């Protein structure tokens, strides 16, 4: 039967393509009850995020891989829709290395920091502000006009001085002026911050993106700082994958840093978490950006998928016993529990 043939016993004559679908063709792989329970589980976490500011440090494979980047941008948009104020802070190490190779400039690191000569600083600024930042803004704006590109030099947002003369134009943050970021968020946009700082000497500085995210989170009085990386979180012993830590306090985090047993690549992230928490941020999260929808799983489910560091013992206790659902939602959940046994 083609699209213009009448359905037997049907009261109208189709005039074009059929749009009628069968329920069996649209069924999810999980039951309706499981879907509803997941949504109800998210409700208190959504309530907790609405109106709050979240700073997301974005980098690693999640930024380089096109599909992962699209997934992360979608997750960020959903967080914005539910009422969170978002700031994205990014680096761009892979793109910088590629550009330096193109110009036959050396790629050199000391103590995990990029040696940034004045010539290298020009490339860093060109790549971070002119390429990576604009690509991320464009990826977000595919969902609507929601993002604004910000260089750390804009409105003197990040002010820095020399960290170490041997590293050249690598900066130590002196202060973060949050007024411009706050005004962008107040206008319902997402600021996407490239980590190039304005120097007190009038020049430019290259800033580690983890460090910048921690300092910005403190300056904008963020509720959460989230560090996207390429590992699942903080391990007590990285060689033992069963030692992934889901929750710990600031005090415990500082003890681990002092212990000297942490994986080298995790130390800057933890130091940035400490900086943010001591600056007034309630929680810092370390999650794997290569896990699909890691942001949503970490922020909107009870179990989460990464490591969360709490500023106080009280904050830790809150997350172990999240506030209950509202009365209306609780009654709906009870109805689902009561009827689940009779649903096939």
């Amino acid at each position: 039967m083609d699209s213009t043939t009448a359905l037997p016993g049907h009261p109208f004559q189709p005039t074009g393509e059929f749009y009628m679908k069968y329920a069996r063709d649209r069924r999810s792989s999980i039951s309706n009850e499981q879907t509803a329970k997941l949504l109800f589980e998210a409700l208190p976490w959504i309530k907790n995020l609405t109106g709050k500011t979240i700073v997301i440090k974005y980098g690693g494979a999640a930024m380089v891989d096109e599909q992962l980047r699209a997934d992360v941008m979608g997750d960020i948009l959903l967080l914005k829709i539910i009422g969170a104020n978002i700031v994205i802070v990014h680096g761009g190490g892979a793109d910088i290395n590629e550009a330096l190779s193109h110009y036959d400039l050396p790629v050199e690191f000391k103590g995990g920091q990029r040696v940034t000569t004045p010539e290298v600083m020009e490339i860093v600024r060109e790549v971070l502000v002119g390429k990576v930042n604009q690509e991320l803004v464009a990826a977000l704006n595919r969902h609507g006009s929601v993002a604004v590109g910000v260089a750390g030099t804009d409105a003197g947002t990040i002010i820095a001085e020399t960290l170490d003369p041997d590293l050249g134009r690598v900066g130590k943050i002196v202060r973060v002026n949050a007024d411009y970021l706050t005004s962008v968020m107040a206008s319902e946009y997402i600021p996407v911050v490239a980590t190039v700082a304005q120097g007190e000497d009038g020049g430019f500085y290259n800033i580690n993106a983890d460090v910048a995210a921690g300092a910005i989170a403190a300056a904008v009085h963020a509720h959460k700082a989230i560090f996207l990386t390429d590992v699942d979180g903080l391990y007590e012993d990285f060689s033992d994958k069963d030692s992934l830590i889901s929750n710990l306090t600031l005090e415990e985090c500082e003890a681990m840093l002092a212990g000297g047993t942490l994986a080298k690549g995790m130390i800057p992230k933890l130091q940035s978490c400490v900086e943010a928490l001591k600056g007034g941020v309630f929680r810092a999260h370390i999650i794997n950006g290569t896990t699909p929808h890691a942001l949503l799983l970490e922020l909107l489910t009870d179990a989460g998928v990464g490591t969360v560091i709490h500023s106080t013992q009280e904050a830790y206790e809150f997350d172990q016993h999240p506030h209950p659902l509202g009365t209306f939602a609780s009654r709906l959940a009870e109805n689902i529990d009561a009827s689940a046994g009779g649903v096939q």
Side-chain angles (χ1 to χ4, degrees):
M1 182 175 69
D2 64 28
S3 61
T4 60
T5 303
L7 292 171
H10 209 279
F12 65 86
Q13 294 284 338
T15 57
E17 181 181 355
F18 290 144
Y19 292 96
M20 183 175 69
K21 305 295 182 186
Y22 291 100
R24 64 170 181 263
D25 297 325
R26 299 176 62 85
R27 260 180 217 130
S28 170
S29 59
I30 62 174
S31 70
N32 291 338
E33 292 73 44
Q34 289 173 309
T35 301
K37 283 181 179 293
L38 183 61
L39 291 171
F40 282 123
E41 181 181 315
L43 279 176
W45 302 110
I46 290 172
K47 180 181 177 183
N48 190 42
L49 291 179
T50 301
K52 304 295 199 314
T53 298
I54 302 172
V55 172
I56 300 171
K57 186 269 175 174
Y58 183 41
M63 189 165 71
V64 176
D65 183 273
E66 189 173 336
Q67 184 57 54
L68 286 173
R69 180 169 60 190
D71 289 344
V72 172
M73 294 300 106
D75 291 353
I76 289 172
L77 181 66
L78 179 56
L79 294 174
K80 177 65 177 173
I81 289 170
I82 67 176
N85 300 310
I86 309 292
V87 180
I88 300 173
V89 179
H90 70 86
D95 290 280
I96 292 170
N97 289 343
E98 183 179 342
L100 291 175
S101 176
H102 176 76
Y103 288 105
D104 292 324
L105 290 171
V107 176
E108 184 182 358
F109 288 85
K110 288 184 179 178
Q113 298 272 13
R114 184 186 299 277
V115 176
T116 308
T117 64
E119 295 79 14
V120 170
M121 186 65 235
E122 285 303 304
I123 302 301
V124 168
R125 188 158 65 97
E126 176 184 312
V127 170
L128 292 186
V129 178
K131 179 180 184 291
V132 178
N133 187 266
Q134 292 306 299
E135 288 175 350
L136 295 180
V137 169
L140 266 173
N141 282 343
R142 289 192 188 102
H143 301 283
S145 300
V146 296
V148 173
V150 177
T153 54
D154 291 344
T157 296
I158 305 176
I159 305 297
E161 62 184 12
T162 300
L163 176 65
D164 181 342
D166 290 340
L167 295 174
R169 303 299 298 184
V170 173
K172 173 185 177 182
I173 296 176
V174 175
R175 63 185 177 276
V176 173
N177 299 316
D179 289 351
Y180 182 53
L181 297 178
T182 301
S183 68
V184 171
M185 286 187 285
S187 298
E188 298 299 327
Y189 291 103
I190 298 172
V192 182
V193 184
T195 51
V196 173
Q198 179 179 318
E200 292 192 315
D201 60 0
F204 302 102
Y205 281 101
N206 182 18
I207 305 294
N208 177 281
D210 290 322
V211 172
I216 287 172
V220 299
H221 308 293
H223 183 66
K224 292 177 180 286
I226 301 172
F227 296 82
L228 290 179
T229 182
D230 294 338
V231 297
D232 289 338
L234 173 63
Y235 289 88
E236 187 173 22
D237 176 3
F238 189 71
S239 64
D240 178 7
K241 298 310 177 186
D242 288 331
S243 69
L244 179 65
I245 299 168
S246 63
N247 287 265
L248 71 163
T249 63
L250 171 59
E251 184 178 356
E252 290 170 324
C253 180
E254 289 182 303
M256 292 185 72
L257 280 168
T261 61
L262 293 170
K264 188 174 182 180
M266 187 58 66
I267 292 173
K269 286 181 174 54
L270 282 186
Q271 289 172 334
S272 298
C273 289
V274 169
E275 168 90 10
L277 295 172
K278 286 188 170 181
V281 177
F282 286 99
R283 294 171 187 82
H285 300 250
I286 300 173
I287 62 176
N288 191 340
T290 67
T291 300
H293 305 295
L295 275 170
L296 301 185
L297 292 169
E298 176 68 7
L299 297 180
L300 301 181
T301 67
D302 293 345
V305 291
T307 299
V308 56
I309 306 166
H310 304 270
S311 57
T312 64
Q313 183 66 31
E314 290 75 18
Y316 178 90
E317 290 294 336
F318 178 91
D319 271 4
Q320 302 312 297
H321 307 286
H323 52 283
L325 299 173
T327 302
F328 177 65
S330 296
R331 287 175 182 167
L332 288 176
E334 288 169 4
N335 290 339
I336 288 172
D337 289 336
S339 63
V343 176
Q344 300 300 317

